[in-house]
Amino acid sequence: MSVEPKITRFKQSVLSKYQIYNSIFMTLPFDSITKTGVLLPLFHETCKKGFANGDDPTTIVDTFFKKYQARRNRESQINLLFRFIQYIERQVVLFDAIEDAAFPIVNNMEGIGTLRNLKESSTSQNKLEELKDYLEQFKVRIVLTAHPTQFYPGSVLGIITDLTEAIKTNNLNDINNLFGQLGKTPFFKHTKPTPYDEAISLIWYLENVFYKSFGEIYNYIQQNIYNDNEAHNDIINIGFWPGGDRDGNPFVKPSTTIKVAESLKQSILKCYHKDLRTLSRKLTFRHVEDRISKLENIIYNYSIDLDYKDAISAEALKNELKEIRDIVIKDHQSLYLNEINNLLNRIHLFGYYFATLDIRQDSRIHHSVFTTVIDNLIKIGHPSFPKNYHDLSESEQINILSKIDTTNLIDIDVFEDEMVSNTLKTIKSLKQIQESNGEQGANRYIISNNQTALNMMQLFAMLKMVAFDDALPVDVVPLFETITDLENAPKVMEQLYSNPVYMAHLKSRGMKQTIMLGFSDGTKDGGYLMANWGIYTAKEKLTEMSRKYDITAIFFDGRGGPPARGGGKTHQFYASLGPTIEDKEVQLTIQGQTISSNFGTHDSSQYNLEQLISSGIFNRMAKDQHAMSEDDRVVMNDLAEMSYEAYKDFKNHPMFIPYLERMSTLKYYAKTNIGSRPSKRGSSDKLVFSDLRAIPFVGSWSQLKQNVPGFYGVGTALKAYEDKGEFHKVEHLYNNSKFFKTLLENSMMALTKSFFDLTMYMSKDEEFGVFWKIIYNEYLTTKSLLLKLTGYKELMENEPSGKASIEVRESIVLPLLTIQQYALKKIQELNKADVKDTAMIEIYEKIVTRSLFGNINASRNSA
């Protein structure tokens, strides 16, 4: 039976259902919803026609009220705008749920990039043994972060989950009830979540999604590729940042870290207990029944009391299950053998830790803490530190830190400064977590804004002095973010590799060095093309440098959801790296929206995890096909440099910061209460570029529907090649480099989500008109030349279903965007008045803040 094209499946299973269910939602028996549902289509049409006619948002809103609601007073008008916002937020939820329900229909769950396809293609090419070898070495780690990009509160995520299931079965009664629940459930949080709250929210995904999807993927590999019941390489695992990520978050305390680690352990024990309980109902055989029941009781008691006196280790649990399995095979015809193996596989994957809790802190904080510690040690006459330590060169300091005497460990209690005390206690908590959850419970410490080898050696020394003495079961991970730091990264790592003591540490860690690279801040610093190319070339040089010292570099990518923060089609990115970049592991951050949109259901989680696994393996098995020629490298480098210069000029424009501050939603992100950490670094009231966090920076451009970080500089670079009659060189690069092709396809997604008609009124603004035109012209140039390069008639022509999804989502939030711009304009006018109406300013600011939610949620990967 033939399969309909993907766009046809999307129209049938998503678009048609949305139209049907949205009409049901409009008939809900709530007066406010019913009236809003009738008026919103009229407002939507007014917006659509207004922008087509070149009207500004203020004119559009005024036209609507004049034409359809002339009798409303100002208060009533504002109330209706709030109701529109609330209604549209819920329309987005409905569309999300319908799209999630249709995921296995729209996407081919056994198609290209899935494990079944990988196995079949390897078998047909007589490469199955080669595939097995790769699977024994290759790993994928997704790291869940608490970065504030999830604009749905937990209660709404729960409704989406239940609504998705109801839509799958067309259960109208449940759908009606969930619509009613949705209509009455608030989207806005009045207080910020704590770091522990964030951790608990993400542990829900571990228990309800990843426990199942990881297990099933591993089961498939074991049973269909290896065709045995042996425990092989744990090819997939999870990292976890909530509760451990201190970078810029003063609310993460050492006690938080311990508490989160305990919750992770209790959560995995509960999952094991549930499986053991199911097994105990099935394994009712002689010599088996009592043993499985005993295990069930032990794990149950352990899950509710981590100090349970009869608790057993993860290894003992596995050994007992293996003995039970042997009896079942020998005496009971292998009944329920798969169920036993499935539990054993999950214990193999998750141990007693569930996810590895990473610790992260900024190098500048470490330097300050370390300086205080050294000053104290010099004061008390510690033999390792001379009095002139701070006057020594970096290499001399590193030499001292390498040979430090760790026998007299630091007394944490002598330090009164909270940051110093908390940093040292956090190091101590690493050891405590390892003793409770196993080494994989917490065995990495990431230094963000890492600039020097000394940054790493300071932490290396502190880890030893505070908790671990000479044996150090912790990886010290540098995070290189800015363009300059990426360029310096190979020198930093060689300095460490040349250090005998650090090299001895790496030998104890299997001669592997994890190196993190930041796409988000890299793009904010250097623009789209340069950030991606800078990271690509840094990886190449770090690979070469590491191999020179027989070290395997493990690259950990700090990615966000949208292309502007390293997101987009990540699996295509990993399939395109070629032979010059170490690829034994794929590690990337998954955050906020991307967790719920790409991994929020069992189907999407399994599909996207399989895509990541196969993309890395595909790159390894076909890496020579992805090698970039020298001529192509010259063009790629030239494009990146020209793009970088264009972006730097743009970033240095005198209107850049004022435009973001006064014309965008940047300052409103802090008011959304979606994350525990502050929305910017530093405490200055004045907006400084270096203090800007990547999330509100990228998100603000997205709210403006300008998406600057996803394309700015690309058009300028392409135009330069067109102007000098060498566009054919760019075409050659595009046709021969999957890496470059993936970059531009992601950039096209950013362009597709742009809508400059929304802010066209700014072109006439006395102060910002010229600056707006600079952005718009770069957009037009980039769009025009990308279409020329690809041969497409429209953006994303090669992805009609993806484009259709974006178009529906953008259509849903068109009224919301209009309301947001209307409110921003009103705030500007009120602030210019001789006598400020602070009450009205506050109301319009509330409108802007509330409108952030639906816009971000609709885009799914815009923050």
Side-chain angles (χ1 to χ4, degrees):
M1 192 172 99
S2 64
V3 179
E4 297 279 7
K6 192 171 182 179
I7 182 62
T8 304
R9 301 198 302 272
F10 175 83
K11 287 178 178 175
Q12 291 172 346
S13 300
V14 179
L15 197 52
S16 296
K17 277 195 173 184
Y18 173 70
Q19 289 164 348
I20 293 167
Y21 286 127
N22 192 38
S23 63
I24 295 173
F25 186 60
M26 285 175 63
T27 63
L28 280 175
F30 304 126
D31 289 343
S32 60
I33 290 180
T34 307
K35 290 174 184 175
T36 308
V38 171
L39 291 171
L40 184 57
L42 298 173
F43 183 53
H44 187 281
E45 192 61 25
T46 307
C47 294
K48 198 173 172 184
K49 286 180 179 176
F51 287 122
N53 293 334
D55 293 340
D56 62 83
T58 304
T59 303
I60 290 169
V61 173
D62 290 344
T63 299
F64 168 75
F65 282 121
K66 188 176 180 181
K67 187 174 181 180
Y68 297 107
Q69 297 286 297
R71 293 181 181 177
R72 285 184 183 268
N73 59 28
R74 186 171 66 169
E75 183 182 353
S76 179
Q77 288 177 355
I78 287 170
N79 285 338
L80 182 60
L81 293 179
F82 271 115
R83 292 216 304 272
F84 281 161
I85 291 170
Q86 292 164 350
Y87 191 93
I88 293 165
E89 284 173 340
R90 286 149 180 81
Q91 282 184 309
V92 174
V93 169
L94 174 59
F95 191 78
D96 279 351
I98 291 169
E99 205 163 37
D100 286 346
F103 190 92
I105 300 168
V106 175
N107 297 280
N108 187 348
M109 301 297 284
E110 296 181 352
I112 294 171
T114 62
L115 286 175
R116 179 166 181 170
N117 174 264
L118 187 65
K119 182 206 170 185
E120 289 175 353
S121 60
S122 298
T123 304
S124 65
Q125 297 171 42
N126 293 318
K127 287 187 174 182
L128 190 59
E129 291 305 313
E130 191 178 345
L131 174 61
K132 289 179 183 178
D133 289 341
Y134 284 139
L135 286 170
E136 284 292 6
Q137 305 169 44
F138 182 71
K139 289 178 188 284
V140 168
R141 174 179 289 200
I142 60 169
V143 180
L144 308 185
T145 80
H147 288 4
T149 64
Q150 179 52 268
F151 277 66
Y152 283 134
S155 54
V156 175
L157 286 169
I159 294 171
I160 294 175
T161 301
D162 294 341
L163 192 54
T164 298
E165 291 306 310
I167 288 169
K168 276 183 180 178
T169 56
N170 287 314
N171 187 327
L172 284 175
N173 185 54
D174 282 357
I175 290 168
N176 250 323
N177 287 336
L178 287 162
F179 278 174
Q181 183 185 351
L182 189 60
K184 289 179 171 290
T185 300
F187 277 51
F188 187 77
K189 293 180 179 177
H190 293 288
T191 56
K192 283 178 175 290
T194 66
Y196 183 69
D197 292 335
E198 291 170 331
I200 295 303
S201 294
L202 290 188
I203 287 173
W204 184 92
Y205 288 100
L206 297 182
E207 290 180 348
N208 294 283
V209 181
F210 292 120
Y211 184 74
K212 184 178 180 185
S213 60
F214 272 49
E216 290 189 4
I217 288 170
Y218 194 84
N219 293 344
Y220 183 89
I221 291 170
Q222 184 187 69
Q223 295 162 16
N224 293 279
I225 295 178
Y226 288 108
N227 196 24
D228 62 20
N229 291 322
E230 299 302 315
H232 295 273
N233 168 40
D234 55 335
I235 189 169
I236 41 178
N237 50 65
I238 312 173
F240 202 77
W241 276 17
D245 182 9
R246 283 159 171 67
D247 183 12
N249 194 338
F251 307 111
V252 179
K253 308 293 184 186
S255 57
T256 313
T257 308
I258 295 293
K259 195 175 176 185
V260 170
E262 289 173 347
S263 293
L264 284 166
K265 183 173 182 177
Q266 285 187 303
S267 296
I268 192 60
L269 288 170
K270 286 173 185 173
C271 290
Y272 294 158
H273 170 254
K274 198 180 293 183
D275 281 356
L276 284 166
R277 189 178 181 186
T278 302
L279 269 177
S280 68
R281 293 178 63 185
K282 294 179 176 181
L283 302 181
T284 52
F285 320 137
R286 194 176 46 179
H287 304 312
V288 170
E289 184 176 18
D290 290 344
R291 293 177 74 169
I292 201 76
S293 294
K294 185 180 178 183
L295 275 186
E296 182 199 343
N297 288 330
I298 289 171
I299 297 302
Y300 172 75
N301 288 318
Y302 198 13
S303 70
I304 58 175
D305 179 9
L306 294 180
D307 294 321
Y308 179 56
K309 62 182 177 62
D310 293 325
I312 58 173
S313 68
E315 200 57 37
L317 175 60
K318 275 196 287 189
N319 290 337
E320 179 67 4
L321 279 169
K322 284 176 183 176
E323 288 183 19
I324 290 170
R325 181 179 67 180
D326 290 342
I327 296 170
V328 166
I329 292 170
K330 181 173 176 287
D331 298 337
H332 302 295
Q333 293 77 48
S334 297
L335 273 171
Y336 301 118
L337 177 62
N338 281 345
E339 284 87 339
I340 300 171
N341 281 330
N342 292 351
L343 179 53
L344 278 166
N345 287 343
R346 287 183 167 97
I347 298 168
H348 177 58
L349 289 176
F350 302 122
Y352 275 178
Y353 59 94
F354 216 160
T356 300
L357 188 59
D358 287 343
I359 309 298
R360 185 173 76 129
Q361 183 56 284
D362 191 286
S363 64
R364 291 162 293 194
I365 298 292
H366 273 142
H367 180 74
S368 174
V369 169
F370 190 71
T371 300
T372 304
V373 170
I374 298 308
D375 286 343
N376 177 262
L377 291 174
I378 291 172
K379 182 181 174 183
I380 63 173
H382 193 288
S384 294
F385 296 96
K387 290 183 179 179
N388 67 337
Y389 174 83
H390 295 304
D391 299 324
L392 300 176
S393 67
E394 182 181 320
S395 59
E396 287 173 322
Q397 288 184 1
I398 287 174
N399 187 47
I400 288 171
L401 295 177
S402 302
K403 298 171 182 175
I404 200 162
D405 177 10
T406 59
T407 51
N408 298 314
L409 298 182
I410 294 171
D411 180 5
I412 297 174
D413 295 333
V414 304
F415 298 101
E416 294 179 2
D417 182 274
E418 187 180 12
M419 181 58 75
V420 175
S421 177
N422 281 342
T423 301
L424 300 179
K425 285 177 181 175
T426 296
I427 289 173
K428 207 150 193 171
S429 72
L430 270 169
K431 189 171 187 178
Q432 186 179 333
I433 293 167
Q434 288 193 0
E435 288 168 352
S436 171
N437 295 15
E439 186 186 310
Q440 286 179 282
N443 60 8
R444 303 202 306 188
Y445 201 125
I446 299 158
I447 312 170
S448 51
N449 191 44
N450 194 92
Q451 298 177 335
T452 65
L454 183 60
N455 290 153
M456 290 183 67
M457 287 305 294
Q458 286 174 340
L459 174 60
F460 183 74
M462 278 201 289
L463 286 164
K464 286 188 165 191
M465 289 192 293
V466 174
F468 291 101
D469 205 357
D470 285 330
L472 183 58
V474 178
D475 295 323
V476 181
V477 181
L479 167 52
F480 301 106
E481 298 175 270
T482 68
I483 301 303
T484 302
D485 290 345
L486 288 166
E487 289 171 351
N488 292 335
K491 291 179 186 174
V492 170
M493 297 316 299
E494 182 162 38
Q495 199 173 348
L496 290 161
Y497 295 159
S498 303
N499 183 293
V501 174
Y502 192 79
M503 180 59 87
H505 167 66
L506 289 181
K507 283 179 182 173
S508 74
R509 306 300 291 163
M511 291 298 278
K512 293 179 179 181
Q513 172 66 57
T514 303
I515 301 168
M516 189 173 179
L517 305 138
F519 282 79
S520 296
D521 282 293
T523 304
K524 181 171 79 78
D525 182 56
Y528 181 69
L529 272 189
M530 178 52 90
N532 282 277
W533 180 240
I535 288 173
Y536 186 95
T537 54
K539 283 184 176 180
E540 287 186 315
K541 290 169 185 171
L542 287 164
T543 296
E544 184 181 9
M545 180 63 64
S546 300
R547 286 174 179 171
K548 176 181 164 186
Y549 289 88
D550 295 322
I551 292 162
T552 300
I554 306 296
F555 294 117
F556 174 21
D557 293 333
R559 295 179 176 276
R565 292 183 48 236
K569 306 173 187 69
T570 49
H571 57 278
Q572 290 185 15
F573 175 87
Y574 289 113
S576 69
L577 294 178
T580 54
I581 293 175
E582 197 70 79
D583 60 351
K584 291 221 171 102
E585 293 193 28
V586 168
Q587 293 194 11
L588 69 159
T589 53
I590 310 286
Q591 50 195 250
Q593 277 179 312
T594 319
I595 299 171
S596 58
S597 60
N598 289 3
F599 299 92
T601 67
H602 177 248
D603 291 322
S604 63
S605 170
Q606 183 152 346
Y607 180 82
N608 285 308
L609 282 168
E610 289 189 17
Q611 292 289 323
L612 279 173
I613 292 169
S614 59
S615 68
I617 291 172
F618 178 76
N619 182 63
R620 298 197 77 195
M621 296 178 80
K623 60 169 65 178
D624 292 335
Q625 297 173 23
H626 302 145
M628 206 181 286
S629 71
E630 280 307 310
D631 287 345
D632 281 342
R633 289 184 70 88
V634 170
V635 175
M636 181 70 233
N637 195 65
D638 198 28
L639 289 169
E641 289 289 349
M642 286 189 289
S643 173
Y644 183 37
E645 289 304 316
Y647 181 76
K648 274 202 301 186
D649 288 345
F650 174 66
K651 198 172 65 172
N652 293 329
H653 192 286
M655 286 294 106
F656 184 87
I657 292 293
Y659 183 80
L660 275 176
E661 198 167 24
R662 285 155 51 197
M663 305 301 278
S664 83
T665 59
L666 182 67
K667 67 182 179 183
Y668 297 96
Y669 270 77
K671 300 178 181 181
T672 57
N673 292 328
I674 62 164
S676 66
R677 75 177 187 178
S679 61
K680 71 181 184 74
R681 298 177 177 91
S683 56
S684 172
D685 289 336
K686 186 180 177 184
L687 188 62
V688 180
F689 183 78
S690 59
D691 286 345
L692 283 177
R693 292 196 181 280
I695 291 166
F697 175 75
V698 171
S700 297
W701 290 111
S702 171
Q703 294 281 326
L704 284 166
K705 287 296 157 187
Q706 293 175 359
N707 287 323
V708 161
F711 71 81
Y712 200 94
V714 176
T716 297
L718 295 176
K719 186 77 168 62
Y721 269 80
E722 184 186 55
D723 288 346
K724 59 185 179 182
E726 294 183 348
F727 201 69
H728 61 279
K729 292 183 178 180
V730 183
E731 291 173 328
H732 187 273
L733 173 64
Y734 179 78
N735 291 324
N736 287 277
S737 169
K738 196 171 179 183
F739 169 76
F740 184 58
K741 194 170 191 175
T742 300
L743 279 189
L744 295 192
E745 286 182 353
N746 279 335
S747 190
M748 279 193 274
M749 183 194 294
L751 291 167
T752 302
K753 291 183 177 182
S754 297
F755 181 60
F756 278 83
D757 288 352
L758 178 71
T759 55
M760 188 75 73
Y761 71 92
M762 293 182 190
S763 64
K764 298 167 188 169
D765 188 276
E766 287 183 15
E767 192 174 3
F768 295 108
V770 173
F771 187 74
W772 185 93
K773 286 172 186 172
I774 290 171
I775 302 169
Y776 185 52
N777 288 335
E778 182 67 15
Y779 162 80
L780 292 175
T781 303
T782 306
K783 180 180 177 181
S784 168
L785 290 173
L786 283 181
L787 291 177
K788 177 181 178 179
L789 180 62
T790 58
Y792 298 161
K793 290 185 176 63
E794 57 183 28
L795 296 169
M796 293 184 70
E797 188 179 295
N798 63 324
E799 290 185 84
S801 62
K803 183 179 175 65
S805 176
I806 289 171
E807 286 173 348
V808 175
R809 290 172 174 279
E810 295 300 313
S811 176
I812 291 171
V813 296
L814 182 64
L816 197 55
L817 291 163
T818 309
I819 292 168
Q820 184 183 88
Q821 284 298 317
Y822 168 78
L824 283 168
K825 189 69 177 167
K826 287 290 184 186
I827 292 166
Q828 291 163 20
E829 290 171 1
L830 289 166
N831 277 325
K832 287 176 184 175
D834 294 333
V835 180
K836 289 187 181 180
D837 187 339
T838 53
M840 284 309 301
I841 290 173
E842 191 175 326
I843 288 169
Y844 284 118
E845 285 185 335
K846 189 177 177 184
I847 287 177
V848 173
T849 304
R850 285 302 312 277
S851 63
L852 291 172
F853 287 70
N855 289 332
I856 289 289
N857 291 334
S859 294
R860 279 210 153 180
N861 70 350
S862 60

